């Protein structure tokens, strides 16, 4: 590109500022959206890649194969003693267990106790997870039973500026114990699902502490292995069924490998792999957001190409003159390609600036902490500049360099790329609008589903409901729990308070048993069972569908039976069919169970404790007058007034009664947020990306419409001199743009239908994919398109014919 | 210098064939000033474009010195134009985004064999047509006459063997037209070969020879009486 070509480009940009702004600005926004969503995708796919040797690390998944079980699926959890048993068969195995993690323990400082991300691990932990150290020594540290390694931020929190190594930290997982800090490791990065700030060794006598340590089928911790290469991992995987059959028979029946498996999962896949029976939505969300980013960029590129080719026609005379002056075809092509690349480079730079400026907003909207890795983004943008510049420049370059100078210079009008050029532009507008309409439909459905889920009937009232989770801590003894709940019940703003082994959001464990059905051979269906104390159904108040609720005064409701379990049970609606009843009414008075028959006294509606994606499991409720006789009991409290003030009230009582354990209470909404936040974040990011994509599309249409209208000024003059009214002209110009927009629906509807159907399938409770979303989005697109071109058409329609006829 | 032998030019578009040039034979000697006249559509501009190699004859030979340009590759023709030809158009065809000086310098941009300082040559060309005081202006800031003089400067900056002018005064008023013709005459007097298409008999009379065309043929050729 010679100096004159550069000059002429620069002056063309500065003279036609609006087109330059549309052209470069639109592309810059597209690039910014692409960068931001690309960063998000990169972040989500980068989990655990920060770990040294991450390609060699695998988690062991427990695979429950019985699809009828509520627990079916693969979980990154194993029984505690699995690693010991594996080592007996594979003596060279490199592995570690991680027990605990997020809020896994308590650190006591003086009279206060703080919940901390404590994990108990094997001495071989660092052979698998080679965490970068700040100070101290990791080698062999965890072999000492009283050694602890802490994170950089935990070190600051507990020891301030002084050197933590050698100091004492009192940590409790189930009983308090003093540990000496042996070293400080770097804080784990954001792109990690491991939440660990204190590492302590697993006690050697775990078998005595936990009677289920070697119970096949039990899940109490995570087991990680490190293999030298994928082939070694594959050999290990292949050996598992035989090992399970040999070792698990005593617990899992004759052929344990039929119902249970152990499967290796690369640690880098863990983040996007669904746990258990959760829907595998993470990957799809990510692909969708990646596509939104790519399509936003594509729409912007189409814009650029459309505007560039349309306007390039205006430069035909310049090209012809250059050819007359001796430029050959290649020189002209070079010029246009270089121009396009320069423009895309400008847009990339601007896009990068926009991304940098917009990132804080995106981070706020998505609860993220993304930053732009320039070392990666800059080369990527250079590549984009070359590729996109080539794509955007090649068409004008080919068309313009082909012009015969004699024909161009003889004509008083500039060629516009001919009919073929117009068709290509129209096809690109169709594609662009197709994507934009699909995005609008997608946004509509996503927002509607998110709203639906937010307002969905969970079976209980979410407001005025508090859960107290710290009751389940092993350091809280039942006397303290009773004292606490008693004082809470006495509060004037408490309407009901109940103890149970379940709460909204889950209490951390779930239990299921096979329930043999009378007259039906076999073990019967697997049904979740929950222990509930007095007032549980007052707190949650599910609809009573049939029969009656528990009544504390009825002897049968109490757990004073032979096996210590009650005779009367309540079931939820989901259990009606599973337990073989025709209807809720049919269930009332009937008995279920094998050795111990239990009578169903009532059916309550489903309580949805685990968010919108999780199906409600068939559940049996047992009534215990004093649930604290069993383990893992938490409290649910129905209250009135301000939740924050109530939280403080509760904490005060707690501190008085159980000072040694940190208070942990959350409202129902706080408990549920974990199930909503991913979808809501994805929806927000999608809406932002889609919004920008639509905006870019509109900008492009506006530019193209304004260009076309300007080119047709003379035609408008002729038509008006022949008697066309202003309305006729507006109809003509608007109609010209309606056609591609209408055809675009043909692309948009099926695309959006399949995408949204797949996305909605991940929800147990979902909205219907109504045609209204499609029609609505198309109407919005048409309205926007009409408004976009209307202003210019109106102005053009008012042109004086005499002036228009002189216009070239 | 130039010899056209039996040149034909036919256009085919939408199944309609138009013959623009029929069996044209023409010799142009070095230093000549030739005017082409004829009614609209008679093939004047096609002949001029053929001479300028921006249009290719359908058949026939175009000898420039001893080279047949009708058979030359497009790339070589571009190089030929850059080195040997200068064009002047009725509608000036200056590039709007470039200043007058830059437009004129563009006449050297595609040449690899320019001797001497380019800026000096541009300045000299501007002096020749009397446009130097407008060097930093853009085309739209100039009158038609000034624009055409700039276009002539662009045509002559490369010191071409042949200047082709397609109705150079067609868009100008009488005074400006005369000025342009004076410049062309002066260029011819200093040795340039000029072929000019014109509708103006008086301007045609300023040429040394005049040919008349009708329906794609040369129907008359006359030397100016001196």
């Amino acid at each position: 590109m010679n100096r004159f070509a550069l000059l002429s480009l620069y002056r063309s940009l500065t003279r036609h500022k609006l087109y330059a702004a549309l052209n470069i600005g639109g592309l810059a926004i597209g690039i910014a959206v692409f960068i931001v969503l690309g960063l998000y995708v990169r972040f989500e796919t980068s989990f655990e890649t920060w770990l040294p040797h991450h390609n060699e690390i695998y988690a062991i998944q427990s695979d429950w194969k019985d699809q009828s079980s509520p627990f079916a699926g693969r979980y990154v959890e194993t029984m505690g003693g699995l690693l010991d048993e594996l080592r007996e068969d594979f003596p060279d195995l490199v592995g570690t267990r991680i027990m605990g993690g997020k809020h896994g323990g308590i650190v006591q400082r003086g009279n206060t106790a703080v919940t901390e991300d404590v994990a108990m691990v094997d001495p071989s932990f660092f052979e698998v997870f080679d965490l970068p150290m700040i100070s101290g020594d990791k080698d062999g540290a965890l072999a000492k039973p009283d050694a602890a390694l802490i994170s950089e931020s935990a070190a600051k929190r507990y020891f301030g500026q002084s050197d933590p190594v050698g100091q004492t930290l009192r940590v409790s997982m189930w009983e308090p114990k003093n540990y000496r800090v042996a070293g400080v490791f770097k804080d784990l990065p954001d792109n990690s699902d491991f939440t660990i700030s204190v590492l302590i060794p697993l006690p050697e006598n775990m078998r005595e502490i936990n009677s289920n340590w070697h119970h096949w089928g039990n899940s109490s911790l995570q087991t990680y292995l490190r293999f030298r290469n994928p082939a070694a991992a594959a050999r290990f995987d292949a050996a598992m069924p035989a090992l399970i059959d040999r070792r698990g028979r005593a617990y899992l029946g004759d052929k344990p490998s039929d119902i249970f498996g152990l499967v290796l999962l690369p640690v880098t896949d863990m983040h996007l792999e669904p746990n258990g029976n959760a829907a595998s939505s993470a990957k799809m969300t990510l692909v969708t957001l990646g596509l939104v980013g790519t399509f936003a960029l594509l729409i912007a590129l189409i814009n650029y190409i459309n505007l560039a080719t349309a306007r390039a026609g205006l430069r035909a005379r310049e090209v012809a003159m250059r050819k007359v002056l001796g430029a050959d075809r290649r020189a002209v092509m070079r010029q246009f390609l270089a121009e396009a690349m320069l423009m895309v480079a400008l847009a990339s730079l601007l896009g990068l600036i926009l991304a940098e400026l917009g990132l804080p907003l995106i981070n706020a909207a998505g609860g993220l902490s993304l930053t732009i890795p320039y070392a990666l983004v800059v080369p990527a943008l250079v590549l984009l500049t070359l590729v996109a510049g080539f794509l955007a420049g090649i068409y004008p370059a080919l068309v313009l360099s082909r012009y015969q100078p004699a024909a161009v210079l003889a004509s008083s009008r500039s060629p516009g790329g001919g009919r073929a050029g117009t068709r290509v532009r129209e096809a690109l507008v169709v594609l662009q609008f197709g994507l934009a309409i699909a995005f609008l439909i997608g946004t509509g459905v996503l927002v509607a589903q998110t709203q639906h889920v937010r307002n969905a009937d969970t079976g209980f009232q979410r407001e005025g409901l508090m859960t107290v989770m710290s009751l389940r801590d092993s350091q809280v003894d039942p006397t303290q729990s009773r004292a606490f709940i008693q004082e809470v019940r006495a509060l004037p703003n408490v309407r009901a308070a109940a103890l149970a082994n379940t709460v909204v959001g889950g209490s951390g464990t779930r239990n299921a048993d096979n329930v043999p059905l009378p007259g039906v051979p076999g073990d019967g269906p697997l049904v979740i069972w929950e222990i509930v104390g007095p007032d549980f159904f007052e707190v949650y108040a599910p609809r009573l569908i049939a029969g009656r609720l528990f009544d504390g005064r009825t002897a049968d409701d109490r757990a004073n039976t032979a096996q210590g379990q009650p005779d009367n049970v309540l079931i939820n609606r989901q259990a009606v069919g599973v337990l073989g009843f025709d209807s809720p009414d049919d269930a009332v008075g009937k008995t279920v169970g094998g050795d111990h028959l239990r009578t169903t006294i009532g059916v309550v509606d489903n309580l949805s404790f685990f968010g919108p994606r999780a199906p409600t499991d068939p559940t049996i409720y047992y009534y215990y007058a004093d649930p604290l006789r069993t383990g893992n009991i938490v409290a649910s409290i129905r209250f009135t007034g301000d939740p924050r003030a109530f939280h403080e009230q509760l904490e005060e009582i707690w501190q008085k009664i159980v000072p040694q354990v940190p208070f942990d209470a959350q409202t129902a909404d706080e408990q549920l947020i974990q199930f909503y936040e991913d979808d809501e974040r994805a929806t927000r990011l999608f809406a932002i990306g889609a919004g920008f994509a639509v905006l870019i599309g509109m900008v492009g249409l506006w530019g193209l419409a304004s260009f076309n209208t300007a080119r047709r000024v003379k035609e408008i003059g002729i038509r008006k001199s022949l008697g066309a009214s202003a309305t006729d002209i507006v109809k003509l110009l608007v109609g010209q743009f309606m056609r591609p927009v209408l055809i675009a629906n043909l692309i948009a509807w099926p695309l959006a239908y399949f995408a949204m159907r797949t996305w909605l399938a991940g929800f147990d409770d979902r909205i219907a994919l109504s045609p209204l979303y499609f029609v609505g989005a198309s109407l919005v697109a048409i309205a926007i398109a009409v408004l976009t071109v209307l202003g210019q058409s109106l102005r053009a329609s008012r042109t004086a014919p005499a002036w228009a006829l002189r216009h070239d | 210098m130039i010899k056209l032998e039996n040149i034909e030019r036919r256009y085919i578009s939408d199944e309609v064939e138009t013959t623009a040039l029929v069996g044209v034979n023409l010799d142009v000697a070095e230093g000549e000033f030739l005017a082409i006249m004829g009614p609209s559509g008679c093939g004047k501009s096609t002949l001029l474009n053929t001479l300028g190699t921006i249009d290719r004859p359908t058949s026939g030979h175009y000898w420039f010195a001893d080279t047949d340009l009708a058979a030359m590759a497009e790339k070589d023709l571009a190089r030929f134009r850059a080195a040997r030809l200068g064009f002047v158009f009725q509608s000036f065809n200056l590039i709007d985004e470039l200043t007058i000086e830059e437009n004129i310098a563009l006449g050297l941009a595609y040449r690899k064999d320019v001797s001497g300082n380019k800026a000096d040559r541009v300045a000299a060309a501007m002096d020749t047509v009397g446009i130097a005081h407008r060097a930093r202006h853009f085309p739209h800031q100039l009158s038609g006459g000034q624009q055409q003089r700039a276009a002539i400067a662009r045509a002559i900056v490369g010191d071409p063997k042949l200047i082709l002018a397609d109705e150079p005064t067609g868009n100008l008023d009488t005074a400006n037209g005369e000025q342009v013709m004076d410049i062309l005459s002066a260029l011819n007097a200093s040795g340039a070969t000029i072929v000019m298409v014109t509708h103006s008999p008086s301007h045609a009379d300023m040429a040394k020879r005049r040919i008349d065309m009708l329906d794609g043929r040369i129907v008359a050729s006359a030397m100016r009486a001196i």
Side-chain angles (χ1 to χ4, degrees):
Chain A
M1 187 146 101
N2 62 35
R3 187 169 68 92
F4 297 109
L6 260 179
L7 260 181
S8 125
L9 171 67
Y10 166 72
R11 296 215 179 104
S12 164
L13 289 180
T14 47
R15 183 175 300 171
H16 307 285
K17 289 191 183 70
L18 180 65
Y19 285 109
L22 292 182
N23 238 352
I24 299 180
L27 188 54
I29 294 175
I31 289 173
V33 171
F34 180 72
I35 291 177
V36 170
L37 290 180
L39 286 179
Y40 178 70
V41 171
R42 179 173 169 272
F43 173 75
E44 286 287 311
T45 50
S46 73
F47 271 65
E48 322 312 347
T49 53
W50 57 275
L51 274 170
H53 331 290
H54 56 265
N55 289 330
E56 300 172 7
I57 307 171
Y58 297 80
I60 301 184
Q61 288 179 304
S62 296
D63 181 13
W64 292 99
K65 298 175 181 175
D66 177 10
Q67 289 308 314
S68 66
S69 154
F71 299 126
R74 292 178 175 185
Y75 299 83
V76 185
E77 274 157 6
T78 68
M79 69 169 174
L82 178 66
L83 187 63
D84 303 326
E85 295 198 28
L86 290 175
R87 277 185 174 141
E88 287 168 11
D89 283 33
F90 301 88
D92 296 332
L93 206 59
V94 179
T96 181
R97 288 166 280 210
I98 299 181
M99 188 174 184
K102 188 170 187 178
H103 300 166
I106 292 167
V107 170
Q108 285 178 339
R109 305 283 295 164
N111 288 329
T112 58
V114 191
T115 305
E116 191 58 80
D117 302 326
V118 184
M120 281 186 164
V121 297
D122 282 288
S124 52
F125 177 82
F126 282 98
E127 290 171 35
V128 181
F129 297 100
D130 192 11
L131 302 184
M133 297 296 288
I134 303 261
S135 63
D137 191 12
K138 63 188 172 188
D139 291 328
L142 291 165
K144 295 175 202 137
D146 66 341
L149 289 133
I150 60 175
S151 73
E152 199 180 351
S153 52
K156 281 212 184 81
R157 224 166 23 246
Y158 296 119
F159 302 106
Q161 294 303 315
S162 62
D163 184 7
V165 176
Q167 300 215 47
T168 306
L169 200 63
R170 193 165 175 78
V171 184
S172 156
M173 288 264 303
W174 48 83
E175 55 179 10
K177 189 181 160 186
N178 284 340
Y179 291 87
R180 279 170 74 85
V181 177
V184 179
F185 57 87
K186 262 193 182 170
D187 283 346
L188 307 190
D190 287 338
N191 56 343
S192 179
D193 285 323
F194 293 105
T195 318
I196 298 172
S197 55
V198 176
L199 283 171
I200 50 175
L202 266 171
E204 278 179 9
N205 60 340
M206 278 310 294
R207 197 176 205 145
E208 294 147 37
I209 297 170
N210 182 341
S211 56
N212 284 328
W213 198 245
H214 284 274
H215 184 113
W216 283 75
N218 183 268
S219 294
S220 46
L221 45 65
Q222 302 183 338
T223 307
Y224 294 89
L225 301 176
R226 184 174 161 196
F227 292 96
R228 230 178 273 282
N229 51 51
R235 276 197 299 278
F236 176 87
D237 249 340
M240 281 307 102
L243 182 140
I244 293 164
D245 284 340
R246 202 168 58 248
R247 292 179 171 268
R249 191 166 294 155
Y251 306 90
L252 298 168
D254 286 344
K255 186 89 164 100
S257 65
D258 282 351
I259 57 161
F260 179 74
L262 291 171
V263 189
L264 290 177
L265 176 70
V267 73
T268 47
D269 290 354
M270 261 170 56
H271 179 64
L272 295 176
E273 200 64 32
N275 205 24
N277 53 11
S280 59
S281 61
K283 273 185 204 161
M284 205 190 106
T285 303
L286 211 55
V287 170
T288 309
L289 287 176
L291 281 178
V292 171
T294 311
F295 283 153
L297 180 63
L298 185 67
I299 291 177
L301 277 177
I302 288 176
N303 257 357
Y304 179 83
I305 293 171
N306 263 353
L307 280 176
T309 54
R311 289 198 52 80
L314 297 181
R315 297 176 62 190
R317 201 170 288 276
E318 176 196 331
V319 173
M321 203 53 229
R322 285 182 191 278
K323 284 184 127 181
V324 164
L325 291 171
D328 58 20
R329 196 170 171 195
R330 274 172 51 190
V332 173
M333 284 186 67
R334 260 204 310 274
Q335 179 192 341
F336 276 90
L337 282 174
E339 264 190 42
M341 284 182 192
L342 200 66
M343 298 272 281
V344 180
L346 268 177
S348 296
L349 185 66
L350 197 60
L352 195 57
I353 293 170
L354 285 178
E356 187 68 88
L357 292 177
L359 216 47
L361 300 174
I362 300 295
N363 280 337
L368 302 161
S369 52
L370 301 176
T371 53
I372 296 181
Y374 281 90
L376 181 81
V377 169
V378 171
L381 282 182
V382 170
L383 187 70
L384 175 79
T385 300
L386 292 176
V387 174
F390 179 78
L391 287 177
I394 190 68
Y395 178 72
L398 281 174
V399 171
L400 287 173
S401 66
R402 213 167 39 211
Y403 286 153
Q404 289 305 318
V408 174
L409 295 171
S411 157
S412 66
R413 285 185 63 111
S414 307
R419 226 178 293 164
T422 313
R423 259 193 225 125
V424 169
R425 278 199 289 279
E426 204 170 284
L428 289 176
V429 169
V430 166
L431 179 61
Q432 190 178 31
F433 259 80
L435 293 175
I437 294 169
F439 277 166
L440 282 175
I441 298 170
T443 308
V445 174
L446 254 70
V447 170
Q449 171 67 16
T450 313
Q451 281 302 106
H452 170 77
V453 155
R454 277 245 145 193
N455 305 321
D457 183 12
T458 45
F460 59 93
Q461 196 193 338
R462 271 181 277 185
E463 294 76 39
L465 180 58
M466 186 75 77
T467 62
V468 181
M469 307 302 286
S470 41
L471 280 170
R472 65 185 162 170
D473 194 286
S474 53
Q475 292 187 73
V476 184
D477 73 57
T479 339
Q480 288 173 311
S481 296
R482 275 183 212 112
F484 173 74
I485 205 79
Q486 228 158 13
E487 283 211 29
V488 169
R489 282 191 177 125
L491 290 172
N493 50 341
V494 167
R495 286 180 14 220
L499 296 172
N501 71 350
T502 182
V503 287
V504 49
S507 64
T509 59
R510 300 189 82 193
N511 306 294
D513 266 343
N514 289 98
V515 179
L517 303 179
V520 180
D523 293 342
L526 202 60
V527 177
I528 298 276
W529 55 265
E530 310 279 23
I531 289 170
V532 300
D535 290 347
F536 181 81
F537 291 110
E538 273 71 46
V539 172
Y540 285 98
R543 277 180 298 276
L544 181 67
I545 298 175
R548 64 170 178 92
L549 293 175
F550 291 122
D551 173 0
R553 287 165 300 178
T554 307
D556 276 348
D557 290 345
R558 298 202 179 126
N560 293 327
T561 54
Q563 280 122 337
Q565 286 195 342
D567 286 335
N568 284 354
V569 294
L570 275 172
I571 61 173
N572 70 354
R573 190 161 51 137
Q574 198 67 30
V576 172
V578 174
L579 293 175
F581 301 118
D582 294 336
S583 67
D585 287 321
D586 178 43
V588 178
K590 300 266 170 66
T591 54
V592 291
D595 303 339
H596 187 118
L597 286 176
R598 297 185 183 90
T599 309
T600 310
I601 58 163
V603 179
V604 291
D605 209 348
N606 297 336
L607 289 171
S608 180
F609 278 180
F610 298 97
R613 286 188 180 272
T616 311
D617 295 314
T619 307
I620 292 181
Y621 294 98
Y622 299 138
Y623 178 84
Y624 277 52
D626 181 12
L628 289 165
R629 288 180 11 206
T630 69
N632 204 59
I633 293 300
V634 286
S636 306
I637 306 163
R638 179 65 63 191
F639 67 98
T640 53
D642 176 33
R644 250 178 304 176
F646 184 61
H647 189 280
E648 280 169 26
Q649 251 181 314
L650 291 180
E651 186 161 16
E652 214 172 293
I653 299 174
W654 181 271
Q655 290 299 348
K656 203 175 60 193
I657 300 171
V658 204
Q660 80 277 21
V661 175
F663 181 60
D664 177 15
Q666 278 163 337
T667 62
D669 276 332
E670 285 164 348
Q671 283 276 54
L672 282 170
I673 191 80
Q674 54 178 317
F675 306 113
Y676 293 84
E677 61 186 352
D678 283 351
D679 283 319
E680 292 194 354
R681 176 168 63 195
T683 300
R684 274 196 297 271
L685 288 177
F686 185 91
I688 292 171
F692 274 117
V694 173
L695 176 76
I696 300 165
M698 298 310 151
V699 164
L701 190 70
W702 191 89
L704 205 58
S706 109
F707 168 79
N708 270 16
T709 310
R711 272 184 67 84
R712 294 178 76 173
V713 167
K714 193 166 189 174
E715 178 196 335
I716 291 164
I718 296 169
R719 285 177 187 274
K720 286 190 86 172
S721 66
L722 291 172
S725 69
T727 319
D728 294 330
I729 301 295
V730 170
K731 269 193 209 154
L732 173 81
L733 294 175
V734 172
Q736 178 196 359
F737 276 96
M738 277 309 96
R739 199 174 64 160
V741 174
L742 288 174
I743 298 174
N745 288 311
L746 295 179
I747 299 181
W749 287 27
L751 188 72
Y753 177 76
F754 286 113
M756 286 302 111
R757 199 181 57 167
T758 317
W759 185 71
L760 284 174
F763 289 88
D764 188 56
D765 177 10
R766 55 181 175 257
I767 55 167
L769 204 50
S770 145
L772 280 180
Y773 296 108
F774 296 81
V775 176
S778 295
L779 285 180
V780 169
I782 290 168
I784 294 174
V786 168
L787 287 176
T788 306
V789 292
L790 194 64
Q792 295 165 46
S793 305
L794 278 176
R795 214 174 314 131
S797 71
R798 292 201 199 101
T799 332
W803 177 84
L805 285 171
R806 281 199 308 275
H807 186 90
D808 273 341
Chain B
M1 183 172 70
I2 291 172
K3 188 175 183 64
L4 297 186
E5 282 178 2
N6 214 12
I7 292 287
E8 296 244 339
R9 182 66 174 102
R10 287 188 298 275
Y11 297 103
I12 299 167
S13 64
D14 291 341
E15 298 171 13
V16 179
E17 186 175 305
T18 317
T19 307
L21 297 175
V22 189
V24 171
N25 293 295
L26 179 68
D27 286 280
V28 182
E30 194 155 357
E32 207 176 349
F33 188 168
L34 174 71
I36 306 172
M37 289 198 73
S40 292
C42 71
K44 305 184 296 288
S45 291
T46 308
L47 177 58
L48 197 76
N49 288 341
T50 306
L51 286 170
T53 73
I54 57 175
D55 202 347
R56 251 178 212 280
T58 314
S59 64
H61 296 284
Y62 172 9
W63 298 98
F64 192 100
D66 291 322
T67 316
D68 185 0
L69 299 182
M72 199 182 256
E74 187 55 45
K75 201 173 159 184
D76 297 327
L77 283 181
R79 214 169 295 146
F80 167 78
R81 283 197 295 272
R84 306 285 184 88
L85 301 185
F87 281 86
V88 180
F89 296 94
Q90 178 181 358
S91 51
F92 325 135
N93 286 328
L94 296 170
I95 293 172
D96 293 341
E97 275 73 26
L98 299 180
T99 63
I100 293 305
E101 189 178 27
E102 288 158 0
N103 261 293
I104 294 168
L106 197 59
L108 297 172
Y110 299 102
R111 287 190 52 175
K112 299 199 165 56
D113 57 340
V114 181
S115 57
N117 187 318
K118 284 187 179 180
D120 290 347
R121 291 183 67 161
V122 171
M126 285 194 292
D127 282 339
T128 308
V129 300
I131 199 79
H133 62 297
R134 296 293 209 171
R136 299 288 163 85
H137 288 75
F138 287 97
H140 63 95
Q141 297 171 312
L142 269 57
S143 73
Q146 288 170 326
Q147 287 192 46
Q148 191 58 298
R149 280 189 276 149
I152 294 173
R154 180 180 61 189
I156 62 170
V157 69
D159 201 10
K161 287 272 184 203
L162 174 65
I163 296 170
L164 300 162
D166 192 356
E167 297 195 48
T169 58
N171 278 5
L172 305 178
D173 59 28
T174 318
N176 274 312
E178 293 305 325
Q179 255 188 353
V180 164
M181 284 312 298
D182 288 343
I183 292 169
L184 290 177
S185 297
L187 287 170
N188 178 240
S190 58
T193 310
I194 299 177
V195 178
M196 173 182 75
V197 165
T198 182
H199 276 296
S200 159
S202 65
H203 291 166
D205 284 345
M206 292 174 80
K208 290 174 182 164
R209 180 159 66 110
R210 160 181 161 173
I211 57 171
D212 286 299
M213 291 188 70
L214 188 65
D215 296 337
R217 297 166 206 276
I218 297 173
V219 290
S221 176
M223 295 295 284
R224 182 174 59 150
I226 303 172

